[in-house]
Amino acid sequence: MMKTVVIGAGPMGLRHAEAALSLGLDLVAMCDTREDALKNAADRTALPAGALFSSATDLFATVRPEIAIIATNTPSHSEITCLAAQGDVTHILCEKPMAASLAECDRMIETCEKAGTNLAIN
């Protein structure tokens, strides 16, 4: 099973987490800056407290997933995608829109190409 993380524990992130579980992926962590969203994610996915992060930086420093699903707000997509790619994540699925600017899109693409990371936009 491929270790998978979901960044964003709102409704879209929860749908991605549930889809990952239904596909047999190993959901190992979720991240959100909102404590209530993390509590809800824990209730819905049965992830232990140690698998819930309020910072993507902390998550990628602790967990080495093969798949990262980014279901946060658009302004954070570029930063989190690049952080994941630099953390040796092999596959990234990022929600649309890809980023807030063309420059951010270019940064995401270049960082993923340099790291050998597959990047897909939902």
Side-chain angles (χ1 to χ4, degrees):
M1 286 195 293
M2 296 183 84
K3 288 184 184 177
T4 303
V5 298
V6 176
I7 313 300
M12 183 63 69
L14 286 172
R15 282 193 287 276
H16 281 292
E18 291 166 353
L21 290 168
S22 74
L23 292 170
L25 298 174
D26 184 14
L27 181 65
V28 296
M30 289 187 74
C31 176
D32 202 293
T33 57
R34 298 165 298 148
E35 191 173 320
D36 61 322
L38 285 177
K39 182 182 178 334
N40 187 38
D43 293 342
R44 299 265 304 264
T45 63
L47 285 171
L52 303 171
F53 295 84
S54 60
S55 158
T57 301
D58 291 345
L59 182 148
F60 290 116
T62 305
V63 180
R64 294 291 180 205
E66 287 112 333
I67 300 172
I69 301 169
I70 301 168
T72 58
N73 57 19
T74 303
S76 65
H77 286 178
S78 179
E79 178 183 344
I80 296 171
T81 296
C82 292
L83 185 64
Q86 292 163 343
D88 296 325
V89 173
T90 309
H91 310 284
I92 298 172
L93 174 63
C94 182
E95 267 300 326
K96 64 184 184 308
M98 182 175 179
S101 71
L102 184 56
E104 288 180 351
C105 293
D106 289 340
R107 178 176 174 240
M108 292 166 72
I109 292 167
E110 290 169 12
T111 301
C112 287
E113 285 178 348
K114 186 175 184 179
T117 300
N118 297 309
L119 174 62
I121 306 302
N122 189 28

